[in-house]
Amino acid sequence: MDQVQDIISNDHALLSKFEEHVQAGEAVEPRDWMPEAYRKHLIRQISQHAHSEVIGMQPEGNWITRAPSLRAKQILLAKIQDEGGHGLYLYSAAETLGITRTEMIEQLHTGKAKYSNIFNYPSLTWADIGAIGWLVDGAAIVNQVSLQRTSYAPYSRAMVRICKEESFHQRQGYEIMAKMMKGTAEQREMAQDAMNRWWWPSLMMFGPHDSDSPHAADAFRWKIKRHTNDELRQKFIDKTVPQAELIGLTVPDPHLKWNDAKGGYDHGEINWEEFKQVINGNGPCNKQRLQHHKQVHDNGAWVREAAEAYKARTNNQSSN
Ligand code: 3HC
């Protein structure tokens, strides 16, 4: 019995030392002691973040062959390549917590792991590529700049690297929208239609209201998050509305109104039923996104096998 008591009191001591460490704003490295719940929370968030980056390549990839100019195609290719790289940084950060890439992909394929709601909407026109870059990457930047100060060091380092590339993504999207708003009536209509379809799902990217966020308490206790879902959403709205107005786009929210007292925009209520449906597999493109990912994963099996065989052979040679 004493032995059990010792283990429990030792764990309590480790936990309070850990919480002092993170509360003081110190970083946690993979080799540091961490509570199992901290490790699990991070595996969940980082792996879902990584899945989002990779799945997000699909709606944009849809337009590579239909980009309106060689320059537009080059920019889109560069952006999609960046997103794949972001996924790799984040899978590697998650692997430092003891989960394998195979396990994470399996969690994605079985629906056990989520990815961002936003990538379950179709990219119907070229203006959608502008809206995704401007709004989706714009929202991702607000979220990821805050995550640069997350307590888990490999995640924070990945965020610093990713944020550098995201600003190019946001700017190229805004350039597409600005150009279309200076174009023909059809182009202006196309841009406004994309704005109407992507605005609200972009607000949902920040997650449920703080009062409905089951992970918020731990996220703040362990400084995984530095800002709440609603704070980041508000920051995104306040930054993006003037950008829309500058190029003549209308934000599709009749309740949007500047509130002097709060120093920000009041806005209409988000359709949380739609959000719940989409994040639980019933969005417009969920099935197609997962099917495609599984298909490409299977097609790439030979590459993984060849790399494994090569690694085994070189390990063999170096041990002889
Ligand atoms: N999409 C899908 N699921 C979401 C979601 C969203 N936008 N927002 C919340 N959820 C899920 C959470 O995952 C959680 O479900 P789970 O327990 O099964 O994981 C549940 O809803 C409750 O939400 P919480 O707010 O309590 O959960 P979190 O504390 O994890 O906060 C988050 C949600 C704000 C998305 C947080 O996980 C986060 O900051 N993640 C990192 C950023 C990220 O994933 N961004 C995705 C976009 S990547 C991208 O845009 C690429 C760009 O380059 C184009």
Side-chain angles (χ1 to χ4, degrees):
M1 200 47 186
D2 287 356
Q3 216 199 354
V4 171
Q5 285 306 338
D6 283 354
I7 294 170
I8 293 171
S9 62
N10 184 32
D11 265 3
H12 276 312
L14 284 169
L15 181 59
S16 45
K17 199 158 159 266
F18 173 82
E19 297 204 331
E20 255 166 59
H21 182 81
V22 290
Q23 281 304 328
E26 298 295 323
V28 179
E29 291 290 350
R31 62 179 175 286
D32 295 341
W33 183 89
M34 61 184 83
E36 186 52 19
Y38 178 83
R39 197 179 68 81
K40 282 210 176 99
H41 186 118
L42 283 166
I43 285 180
R44 176 191 61 83
Q45 176 163 334
I46 301 173
S47 62
Q48 294 184 158
H49 196 162
H51 296 330
S52 305
E53 298 280 2
V54 172
I55 296 280
M57 295 165 80
Q58 290 187 37
E60 295 181 307
N62 200 7
W63 281 88
I64 293 175
T65 53
R66 295 182 280 170
S69 71
L70 184 57
R71 176 181 180 271
K73 185 192 288 240
Q74 281 173 316
I75 292 172
L76 183 57
L77 276 168
K79 177 180 188 310
I80 295 170
Q81 189 182 327
D82 282 350
E83 307 300 7
H86 297 174
L88 295 182
Y89 303 150
L90 289 163
Y91 282 130
S92 308
E95 284 165 352
T96 65
L97 290 155
I99 188 169
T100 66
R101 187 76 56 95
T102 312
E103 286 166 324
M104 287 188 267
I105 300 300
E106 210 242 329
Q107 287 176 358
L108 172 67
H109 287 173
T110 55
K112 199 163 162 263
K114 294 184 171 68
Y115 56 89
S116 189
N117 67 300
I118 195 74
F119 298 122
N120 288 307
Y121 293 87
S123 50
L124 302 175
T125 71
W126 177 251
D128 286 39
I129 299 303
I132 290 173
W134 171 43
L135 296 175
V136 175
D137 287 73
I141 290 175
V142 171
N143 169 286
Q144 292 169 162
V145 163
S146 171
L147 278 171
Q148 287 181 127
R149 296 176 53 234
T150 189
S151 58
Y152 190 56
Y155 195 21
S156 155
R157 288 191 284 266
M159 284 297 100
V160 171
R161 177 109 190 244
I162 287 175
C163 284
K164 288 192 172 69
E165 292 169 343
E166 290 293 6
S167 26
F168 143 64
H169 298 173
Q170 194 258 4
R171 268 205 302 279
Q172 62 82 36
Y174 190 55
E175 184 193 63
I176 291 173
M177 297 302 262
K179 261 193 188 153
M180 293 188 81
M181 288 308 284
K182 283 199 199 108
T184 63
E186 290 81 4
Q187 285 169 330
R188 289 199 298 277
E189 204 181 306
M190 197 185 268
Q192 185 60 55
D193 166 58
M195 175 83 187
N196 296 344
R197 283 183 288 108
W198 289 92
W199 175 254
W200 290 101
S202 300
L203 300 192
M204 295 174 198
M205 281 176 71
F206 293 95
H209 282 312
D210 303 341
S211 49
D212 301 328
S213 161
H215 297 298
D218 283 350
F220 285 95
R221 185 161 132 233
W222 292 325
K223 290 199 186 284
I224 292 170
K225 278 185 176 180
R226 295 299 189 121
H227 297 93
T228 71
N229 295 357
D230 286 326
E231 279 171 352
L232 293 176
R233 192 179 355 258
Q234 187 64 52
K235 205 167 166 172
F236 169 72
I237 292 169
D238 295 345
K239 182 183 96 156
T240 311
V241 168
Q243 291 172 354
E245 288 170 350
L246 185 69
I247 57 175
L249 279 166
T250 308
V251 177
D253 177 359
H255 301 287
L256 192 77
K257 191 166 171 305
W258 180 258
N259 176 332
D260 250 347
K262 140 172 144 181
Y265 287 91
D266 290 333
H267 58 87
E269 193 44 36
I270 291 169
N271 180 343
W272 292 114
E273 188 42 39
E274 176 184 331
F275 173 73
K276 228 173 16 209
Q277 285 304 320
V278 172
I279 71 169
N280 288 304
N282 309 312
C285 297
N286 295 59
K287 290 186 185 44
Q288 165 191 343
R289 296 287 183 246
L290 275 190
Q291 218 142 42
H292 182 80
H293 191 281
K294 285 176 189 162
Q295 170 79 51
V296 172
H297 188 71
D298 291 348
N299 295 349
W302 68 273
V303 177
R304 293 189 295 277
E305 282 148 26
E308 287 301 327
Y310 179 74
K311 197 170 84 182
R313 198 168 69 111
T314 36
N315 291 347
N316 227 334
Q317 279 164 350
S318 52
S319 57
N320 290 342

Coordinates of all heavy atoms in Angstrom, one line a residue, residues 41 44-46 48-54 56 60 79 82-83 86 90 112-120 132-133 136-141 143-144 147 155 159 162 166 169 201-210 212-216 219 224-225 228-229 232 272 275 278-280, ligand 1:
H41 N -4.3 15.3 -25.3 CA -4.9 16.6 -25.8 C -4.1 17.0 -27.0 O -4.7 17.4 -28.1 CB -4.9 17.6 -24.7 CG -5.6 18.9 -25.0 ND1 -6.7 19.3 -24.3 CD2 -5.4 19.8 -26.0 CE1 -7.2 20.5 -24.8 NE2 -6.4 20.8 -25.8
R44 N -4.4 14.8 -30.1 CA -5.7 15.0 -30.8 C -5.7 16.3 -31.6 O -6.0 16.3 -32.8 CB -6.8 15.2 -29.7 CG -8.2 15.5 -30.2 CD -9.1 15.8 -29.0 NE -8.7 17.0 -28.3 CZ -8.9 18.2 -28.7 NH1 -9.6 18.5 -29.8 NH2 -8.4 19.3 -28.0
Q45 N -5.2 17.4 -31.0 CA -5.3 18.7 -31.7 C -4.3 18.7 -32.8 O -4.6 19.2 -34.0 CB -5.0 19.8 -30.7 CG -4.9 21.2 -31.4 CD -5.1 22.3 -30.5 OE1 -5.7 22.2 -29.4 NE2 -4.5 23.5 -30.9
I46 N -3.0 18.3 -32.6 CA -2.0 18.4 -33.6 C -2.3 17.5 -34.8 O -2.1 17.9 -36.0 CB -0.6 18.2 -33.0 CG1 -0.3 19.1 -31.9 CG2 0.5 18.3 -34.1 CD1 1.0 18.8 -31.2
Q48 N -5.2 16.4 -35.8 CA -6.3 16.9 -36.6 C -5.9 18.2 -37.4 O -6.4 18.4 -38.4 CB -7.5 17.2 -35.6 CG -8.0 15.9 -35.0 CD -9.3 16.1 -34.1 OE1 -10.0 15.1 -34.0 NE2 -9.5 17.2 -33.6
H49 N -5.0 18.9 -36.8 CA -4.5 20.1 -37.5 C -3.8 19.6 -38.8 O -3.9 20.1 -39.9 CB -3.5 20.8 -36.6 CG -3.2 22.2 -37.1 ND1 -2.7 23.2 -36.2 CD2 -3.3 22.8 -38.3 CE1 -2.5 24.3 -36.9 NE2 -2.8 24.1 -38.1
A50 N -2.9 18.5 -38.6 CA -2.2 18.0 -39.8 C -3.2 17.4 -40.8 O -3.0 17.7 -42.0 CB -1.2 16.9 -39.3
H51 N -4.2 16.7 -40.4 CA -5.2 16.1 -41.3 C -5.8 17.3 -42.1 O -6.0 17.2 -43.3 CB -6.3 15.4 -40.6 CG -5.8 14.2 -39.8 ND1 -4.8 13.4 -40.2 CD2 -6.3 13.6 -38.7 CE1 -4.6 12.4 -39.3 NE2 -5.5 12.5 -38.4
S52 N -6.1 18.4 -41.4 CA -6.8 19.5 -42.1 C -5.9 20.1 -43.2 O -6.4 20.4 -44.3 CB -7.0 20.6 -41.0 OG -7.7 20.1 -40.0
E53 N -4.6 20.2 -42.9 CA -3.7 20.7 -43.9 C -3.7 19.9 -45.2 O -3.7 20.4 -46.3 CB -2.2 20.8 -43.3 CG -2.1 21.7 -42.1 CD -2.0 23.2 -42.5 OE1 -2.0 23.5 -43.7 OE2 -1.8 24.0 -41.6
V54 N -3.7 18.6 -45.0 CA -3.6 17.6 -46.1 C -4.9 17.5 -46.8 O -5.0 17.6 -48.1 CB -3.1 16.3 -45.6 CG1 -3.1 15.2 -46.8 CG2 -1.6 16.4 -45.1
G56 N -7.1 19.7 -46.9 CA -7.3 21.1 -47.5 C -6.7 21.2 -48.9 O -7.1 22.1 -49.7
E60 N -8.5 22.8 -53.3 CA -7.7 23.7 -54.2 C -7.1 23.0 -55.4 O -7.0 23.5 -56.5 CB -6.6 24.3 -53.3 CG -7.1 25.2 -52.2 CD -6.1 25.8 -51.3 OE1 -5.2 25.1 -50.8 OE2 -6.1 27.1 -51.2
K79 N 1.1 27.2 -53.4 CA 0.3 27.2 -52.1 C 0.0 25.7 -51.7 O 0.1 25.4 -50.5 CB -1.0 28.0 -52.3 CG -1.9 27.9 -51.1 CD -3.1 28.7 -51.3 CE -4.0 28.8 -50.0 NZ -4.3 27.7 -49.2
D82 N 2.8 24.0 -50.3 CA 3.1 24.5 -48.9 C 2.2 23.7 -47.9 O 2.6 23.3 -46.8 CB 2.7 26.0 -48.7 CG 3.8 26.9 -49.3 OD1 4.9 26.4 -49.6 OD2 3.5 28.1 -49.4
E83 N 0.9 23.6 -48.3 CA -0.1 22.9 -47.4 C 0.4 21.5 -47.1 O 0.3 21.0 -45.9 CB -1.5 22.9 -47.9 CG -2.1 24.2 -48.4 CD -2.2 25.3 -47.3 OE1 -1.7 25.0 -46.2 OE2 -2.7 26.4 -47.6
H86 N 3.0 21.7 -44.6 CA 2.5 22.0 -43.2 C 2.0 20.7 -42.6 O 2.3 20.5 -41.4 CB 1.4 23.0 -43.3 CG 1.8 24.4 -43.8 ND1 0.9 25.4 -44.1 CD2 3.0 24.9 -44.2 CE1 1.6 26.4 -44.6 NE2 2.8 26.1 -44.7
L90 N 3.4 19.0 -39.0 CA 2.5 18.8 -37.9 C 2.4 17.3 -37.6 O 2.4 16.9 -36.4 CB 1.1 19.4 -38.2 CG 1.1 20.9 -38.2 CD1 -0.1 21.4 -38.9 CD2 1.2 21.4 -36.8
K112 N -12.3 8.4 -36.7 CA -12.0 8.6 -35.2 C -11.4 10.1 -35.0 O -11.7 10.7 -34.0 CB -11.0 7.6 -34.8 CG -11.0 7.4 -33.3 CD -10.4 6.1 -32.8 CE -10.0 6.2 -31.4 NZ -8.6 6.6 -31.2
A113 N -10.7 10.5 -36.1 CA -10.1 11.8 -36.0 C -10.8 12.8 -36.9 O -11.2 12.4 -38.0 CB -8.6 11.8 -36.4
K114 N -10.9 14.0 -36.4 CA -11.6 15.0 -37.3 C -10.5 15.8 -38.1 O -9.3 15.6 -37.9 CB -12.3 16.0 -36.4 CG -13.5 15.5 -35.6 CD -14.2 16.6 -34.8 CE -15.5 16.1 -34.2 NZ -15.3 15.1 -33.1
Y115 N -11.0 16.6 -39.0 CA -10.2 17.6 -39.7 C -11.1 18.8 -39.8 O -12.3 18.7 -39.6 CB -9.6 17.1 -41.0 CG -10.7 16.7 -42.0 CD1 -11.3 17.5 -42.9 CD2 -11.1 15.3 -42.0 CE1 -12.3 17.1 -43.7 CE2 -12.1 14.9 -42.8 CZ -12.7 15.8 -43.7 OH -13.7 15.3 -44.6
S116 N -10.6 20.0 -40.2 CA -11.3 21.2 -40.1 C -12.6 21.2 -41.0 O -12.6 20.7 -42.1 CB -10.5 22.4 -40.6 OG -11.1 23.6 -40.4
N117 N -13.7 21.6 -40.4 CA -15.0 21.7 -41.1 C -14.9 22.3 -42.5 O -15.6 21.8 -43.4 CB -16.0 22.5 -40.3 CG -15.6 24.0 -40.3 OD1 -14.5 24.4 -39.8 ND2 -16.4 24.9 -40.8
I118 N -14.1 23.3 -42.6 CA -14.0 24.1 -43.8 C -13.8 23.3 -45.1 O -14.2 23.7 -46.2 CB -13.0 25.3 -43.6 CG1 -13.3 26.4 -44.6 CG2 -11.6 24.8 -43.6 CD1 -14.5 27.2 -44.4
F119 N -13.0 22.2 -45.0 CA -12.6 21.5 -46.2 C -13.7 20.5 -46.7 O -13.4 19.7 -47.6 CB -11.3 20.9 -46.0 CG -10.2 21.9 -45.7 CD1 -9.5 21.9 -44.5 CD2 -10.0 23.0 -46.6 CE1 -8.5 22.8 -44.2 CE2 -9.1 23.9 -46.3 CZ -8.3 23.9 -45.1
N120 N -14.9 20.6 -46.0 CA -15.9 19.7 -46.5 C -16.9 20.5 -47.4 O -18.1 20.0 -47.6 CB -16.6 19.1 -45.3 CG -15.8 18.1 -44.6 OD1 -15.3 17.2 -45.3 ND2 -15.5 18.3 -43.3
I132 N -11.0 30.9 -50.5 CA -10.2 30.0 -49.6 C -8.9 30.6 -49.1 O -8.6 30.7 -47.9 CB -10.0 28.6 -50.3 CG1 -11.3 27.9 -50.5 CG2 -9.0 27.8 -49.5 CD1 -11.1 26.6 -51.4
G133 N -8.2 31.2 -50.0 CA -6.9 31.8 -49.6 C -7.1 33.0 -48.7 O -6.6 33.0 -47.6
V136 N -10.1 31.4 -45.6 CA -9.7 30.2 -44.8 C -8.3 30.4 -44.3 O -8.0 30.2 -43.1 CB -9.9 29.0 -45.7 CG1 -9.3 27.7 -45.0 CG2 -11.3 28.8 -46.1
D137 N -7.4 30.8 -45.2 CA -6.0 31.0 -44.7 C -5.9 32.2 -43.8 O -5.1 32.2 -42.8 CB -5.0 31.1 -45.9 CG -4.8 29.8 -46.5 OD1 -5.8 29.3 -47.2 OD2 -3.8 29.1 -46.4
G138 N -6.8 33.2 -44.0 CA -6.9 34.3 -43.1 C -7.3 33.9 -41.7 O -6.7 34.3 -40.7
A139 N -8.3 33.0 -41.6 CA -8.7 32.5 -40.3 C -7.6 31.6 -39.7 O -7.3 31.8 -38.5 CB -10.0 31.7 -40.5
A140 N -7.0 30.8 -40.6 CA -5.9 29.9 -40.1 C -4.8 30.8 -39.5 O -4.2 30.4 -38.5 CB -5.4 29.0 -41.2
I141 N -4.5 31.9 -40.1 CA -3.4 32.8 -39.6 C -3.7 33.3 -38.2 O -2.9 33.2 -37.3 CB -3.1 34.0 -40.6 CG1 -2.5 33.5 -41.9 CG2 -2.2 35.0 -39.9 CD1 -2.3 34.6 -42.9
N143 N -5.6 32.0 -36.0 CA -5.5 30.9 -35.1 C -4.1 30.5 -34.8 O -3.6 30.3 -33.7 CB -6.3 29.7 -35.7 CG -6.1 28.4 -34.9 OD1 -5.1 27.8 -35.1 ND2 -7.1 28.1 -34.1
Q144 N -3.3 30.4 -35.9 CA -1.9 29.9 -35.8 C -0.9 30.8 -35.2 O 0.0 30.5 -34.6 CB -1.5 29.3 -37.2 CG -2.3 28.1 -37.6 CD -2.1 27.6 -39.0 OE1 -2.5 26.5 -39.4 NE2 -1.7 28.5 -39.9
L147 N -1.2 30.2 -31.8 CA -0.6 28.9 -31.4 C 0.9 28.9 -31.5 O 1.6 28.0 -31.0 CB -1.1 27.8 -32.4 CG -2.5 27.3 -32.1 CD1 -3.0 26.4 -33.2 CD2 -2.5 26.5 -30.7
Y155 N 5.2 21.9 -31.4 CA 4.0 22.5 -32.1 C 4.3 24.0 -32.3 O 4.0 24.5 -33.4 CB 2.8 22.3 -31.1 CG 1.5 22.5 -31.8 CD1 1.3 22.4 -33.1 CD2 0.3 22.7 -31.0 CE1 0.0 22.6 -33.7 CE2 -0.9 22.9 -31.5 CZ -1.1 22.8 -32.9 OH -2.4 23.0 -33.4
M159 N 4.5 26.0 -35.8 CA 3.6 27.2 -36.1 C 4.4 28.4 -36.6 O 3.9 29.1 -37.5 CB 2.8 27.6 -34.8 CG 1.7 26.7 -34.5 SD 0.4 26.6 -35.7 CE 0.8 25.2 -36.6
I162 N 5.1 27.7 -40.2 CA 3.9 27.7 -41.0 C 3.3 29.1 -41.2 O 2.9 29.5 -42.3 CB 2.8 26.8 -40.4 CG1 3.2 25.3 -40.6 CG2 1.4 27.0 -41.0 CD1 2.3 24.3 -40.0
E166 N 1.8 31.2 -44.5 CA 0.3 31.5 -44.6 C 0.0 32.9 -45.1 O -1.0 33.1 -45.8 CB -0.3 31.3 -43.2 CG -0.4 29.9 -42.6 CD -1.4 29.0 -43.4 OE1 -1.9 29.4 -44.5 OE2 -1.5 27.9 -43.0
H169 N -0.3 32.9 -48.6 CA -1.6 32.3 -49.0 C -2.7 33.3 -48.9 O -3.6 33.3 -49.8 CB -1.9 31.1 -48.1 CG -0.8 30.0 -48.1 ND1 -0.8 28.9 -47.3 CD2 0.3 29.9 -48.9 CE1 0.2 28.2 -47.5 NE2 0.9 28.7 -48.5
P201 N -18.8 29.3 -42.9 CA -18.0 28.2 -42.5 C -16.6 28.6 -42.0 O -16.0 27.9 -41.2 CB -17.9 27.4 -43.8 CG -19.1 27.7 -44.6 CD -19.4 29.2 -44.3
S202 N -16.1 29.8 -42.5 CA -14.8 30.3 -42.0 C -14.9 30.7 -40.6 O -14.0 30.5 -39.8 CB -14.3 31.5 -42.9 OG -14.2 31.1 -44.2
L203 N -16.1 31.3 -40.2 CA -16.2 31.6 -38.8 C -16.3 30.4 -37.9 O -15.9 30.3 -36.7 CB -17.5 32.5 -38.6 CG -17.6 33.8 -39.3 CD1 -18.8 34.6 -38.8 CD2 -16.3 34.6 -39.2
M204 N -16.9 29.3 -38.5 CA -17.0 28.0 -37.7 C -15.6 27.4 -37.5 O -15.4 26.6 -36.5 CB -17.9 27.0 -38.5 CG -19.3 27.5 -38.6 SD -20.2 26.3 -39.7 CE -21.6 27.3 -40.2
M205 N -14.6 27.8 -38.3 CA -13.3 27.2 -38.2 C -12.7 27.4 -36.8 O -12.0 26.5 -36.3 CB -12.3 27.8 -39.2 CG -12.4 27.3 -40.6 SD -11.3 28.2 -41.7 CE -9.7 27.6 -41.1
F206 N -13.2 28.4 -36.1 CA -12.6 28.7 -34.8 C -13.2 27.9 -33.7 O -12.8 28.0 -32.5 CB -12.8 30.2 -34.5 CG -12.0 31.1 -35.4 CD1 -12.5 31.7 -36.5 CD2 -10.6 31.4 -35.1 CE1 -11.8 32.5 -37.4 CE2 -9.9 32.2 -36.0 CZ -10.5 32.7 -37.1
G207 N -14.1 27.0 -34.1 CA -14.7 26.1 -33.1 C -15.9 26.7 -32.4 O -16.3 27.8 -32.6
P208 N -16.5 25.9 -31.5 CA -17.8 26.3 -30.9 C -17.5 27.5 -29.9 O -16.4 27.8 -29.6 CB -18.2 25.1 -30.0 CG -16.9 24.3 -29.8 CD -16.1 24.6 -31.0
H209 N -18.6 28.1 -29.5 CA -18.5 29.2 -28.5 C -17.7 28.7 -27.3 O -17.7 27.5 -26.9 CB -19.8 29.7 -28.0 CG -20.5 30.6 -29.0 ND1 -19.9 31.7 -29.6 CD2 -21.8 30.6 -29.5 CE1 -20.7 32.3 -30.4 NE2 -21.9 31.6 -30.4
D210 N -17.0 29.5 -26.6 CA -16.1 29.1 -25.5 C -17.0 28.4 -24.4 O -16.5 27.4 -23.9 CB -15.5 30.4 -24.8 CG -14.7 31.2 -25.8 OD1 -14.3 30.6 -26.9 OD2 -14.5 32.4 -25.6
D212 N -19.2 26.4 -25.0 CA -19.5 25.0 -25.5 C -18.3 24.2 -25.8 O -18.3 23.2 -26.5 CB -20.4 25.1 -26.7 CG -21.7 25.8 -26.5 OD1 -22.2 25.7 -25.3 OD2 -22.2 26.5 -27.4
S213 N -17.1 24.7 -25.4 CA -15.9 24.1 -25.8 C -15.4 23.1 -24.7 O -14.9 23.6 -23.6 CB -14.8 25.2 -26.0 OG -13.5 24.6 -26.0
P214 N -15.6 21.8 -24.9 CA -15.2 20.9 -23.8 C -13.7 20.9 -23.5 O -13.3 20.5 -22.4 CB -15.7 19.5 -24.3 CG -15.8 19.7 -25.8 CD -16.1 21.1 -26.0
H215 N -12.9 21.3 -24.4 CA -11.4 21.2 -24.2 C -10.8 22.5 -23.7 O -9.6 22.6 -23.4 CB -10.7 20.9 -25.5 CG -11.1 19.5 -26.1 ND1 -10.9 18.3 -25.4 CD2 -11.8 19.2 -27.2 CE1 -11.4 17.3 -26.1 NE2 -12.0 17.8 -27.2
A216 N -11.6 23.5 -23.6 CA -11.1 24.9 -23.2 C -10.4 24.9 -21.9 O -9.2 25.4 -21.8 CB -12.2 25.9 -23.2
A219 N -7.0 23.3 -22.1 CA -6.2 24.1 -23.1 C -5.6 25.3 -22.5 O -4.5 25.7 -22.8 CB -7.1 24.5 -24.3
I224 N -1.9 25.4 -23.8 CA -1.9 24.9 -25.1 C -2.5 26.0 -26.0 O -2.1 26.3 -27.1 CB -2.7 23.6 -25.2 CG1 -2.0 22.5 -24.4 CG2 -3.0 23.1 -26.7 CD1 -2.8 21.2 -24.2
K225 N -3.6 26.6 -25.5 CA -4.2 27.8 -26.2 C -3.9 29.0 -25.4 O -3.8 29.0 -24.2 CB -5.7 27.6 -26.3 CG -6.2 26.7 -27.4 CD -7.8 26.8 -27.4 CE -8.4 26.0 -28.5 NZ -9.8 26.0 -28.5
T228 N -9.1 32.3 -26.6 CA -10.3 31.5 -26.7 C -10.8 31.4 -28.2 O -10.4 32.3 -29.0 CB -11.4 32.0 -25.8 OG1 -12.0 33.2 -26.5 CG2 -11.0 32.3 -24.4
N229 N -11.7 30.5 -28.5 CA -12.2 30.4 -29.8 C -13.0 31.7 -30.2 O -12.8 32.2 -31.3 CB -13.3 29.2 -29.8 CG -12.6 27.9 -29.6 OD1 -11.4 27.7 -29.5 ND2 -13.5 26.8 -29.6
L232 N -10.5 34.7 -30.9 CA -9.9 34.6 -32.2 C -10.9 34.8 -33.4 O -10.6 35.5 -34.3 CB -9.2 33.2 -32.4 CG -8.0 33.0 -31.4 CD1 -7.5 31.6 -31.6 CD2 -6.9 34.0 -31.6
W272 N -25.0 26.6 -35.7 CA -24.2 25.5 -35.1 C -24.7 24.1 -35.4 O -24.0 23.1 -35.3 CB -24.2 25.7 -33.6 CG -23.4 26.9 -33.2 CD1 -23.9 28.1 -32.6 CD2 -22.0 27.1 -33.4 NE1 -22.9 29.0 -32.4 CE2 -21.7 28.4 -32.9 CE3 -21.0 26.4 -33.9 CZ2 -20.4 29.0 -32.9 CZ3 -19.7 26.9 -33.9 CH2 -19.4 28.2 -33.5
F275 N -22.7 23.3 -38.4 CA -21.3 23.0 -37.9 C -21.3 21.5 -37.3 O -20.4 20.7 -37.7 CB -20.9 24.0 -36.8 CG -19.6 23.7 -36.1 CD1 -18.4 23.9 -36.7 CD2 -19.6 23.2 -34.8 CE1 -17.2 23.6 -36.1 CE2 -18.4 22.9 -34.1 CZ -17.2 23.1 -34.8
V278 N -21.5 19.0 -40.1 CA -20.3 18.9 -41.0 C -19.1 18.2 -40.2 O -18.4 17.4 -40.8 CB -19.8 20.3 -41.5 CG1 -18.5 20.3 -42.2 CG2 -20.9 20.9 -42.4
I279 N -18.9 18.5 -38.9 CA -17.8 17.9 -38.2 C -18.0 16.5 -37.9 O -17.1 15.8 -37.5 CB -17.3 18.8 -37.0 CG1 -18.3 18.7 -35.9 CG2 -17.0 20.2 -37.4 CD1 -17.7 19.3 -34.6
N280 N -19.3 16.1 -38.0 CA -19.6 14.7 -37.7 C -19.8 13.8 -39.0 O -20.5 12.8 -38.9 CB -20.8 14.6 -36.7 CG -20.3 15.0 -35.3 OD1 -19.4 14.5 -34.8 ND2 -21.0 16.1 -34.8
Ligands
3HC1 N1 -13.5 21.7 -37.5 C1 -13.7 20.4 -37.1 N2 -13.8 20.1 -35.8 C2 -13.8 21.1 -34.9 C3 -13.6 22.5 -35.3 C4 -13.5 22.7 -36.7 N3 -13.4 23.9 -37.2 N4 -13.6 23.3 -34.2 C5 -13.8 22.4 -33.1 N5 -13.9 21.2 -33.6 C6 -14.1 20.0 -32.7 C7 -12.8 19.7 -31.8 O1 -11.9 19.0 -32.5 C8 -13.5 19.0 -30.7 O2 -13.8 17.6 -31.1 P1 -12.8 16.4 -30.7 O3 -12.9 16.4 -29.2 O4 -13.4 15.2 -31.4 O5 -11.4 16.7 -31.2 C9 -14.9 19.7 -30.5 O6 -15.1 20.2 -31.8 C10 -14.9 20.7 -29.5 O7 -14.1 21.8 -29.9 P2 -13.1 22.6 -28.9 O8 -13.1 24.0 -29.3 O9 -13.4 22.2 -27.5 O10 -11.8 21.8 -29.3 P3 -10.3 22.5 -29.4 O11 -9.9 23.0 -28.0 O12 -9.4 21.4 -30.0 O13 -10.4 23.7 -30.4 C11 -9.7 24.2 -32.6 C12 -10.7 23.5 -31.7 C13 -9.8 25.7 -32.4 C14 -9.9 23.9 -34.1 C15 -8.3 23.8 -32.1 O14 -8.3 22.4 -32.2 C16 -7.1 24.3 -32.9 O15 -6.8 25.5 -32.8 N6 -6.6 23.5 -33.8 C17 -5.4 23.9 -34.6 C18 -5.8 24.7 -35.8 C19 -6.5 23.9 -36.8 O16 -6.7 22.7 -36.7 N7 -6.8 24.5 -37.9 C20 -7.4 23.8 -39.0 C21 -7.3 24.6 -40.2 S1 -5.8 24.2 -41.0 C22 -5.9 25.2 -42.3 O17 -6.8 26.0 -42.3 C23 -4.9 25.1 -43.3 C24 -4.7 26.4 -44.0 O18 -3.4 26.5 -44.4 C25 -5.6 26.4 -45.2

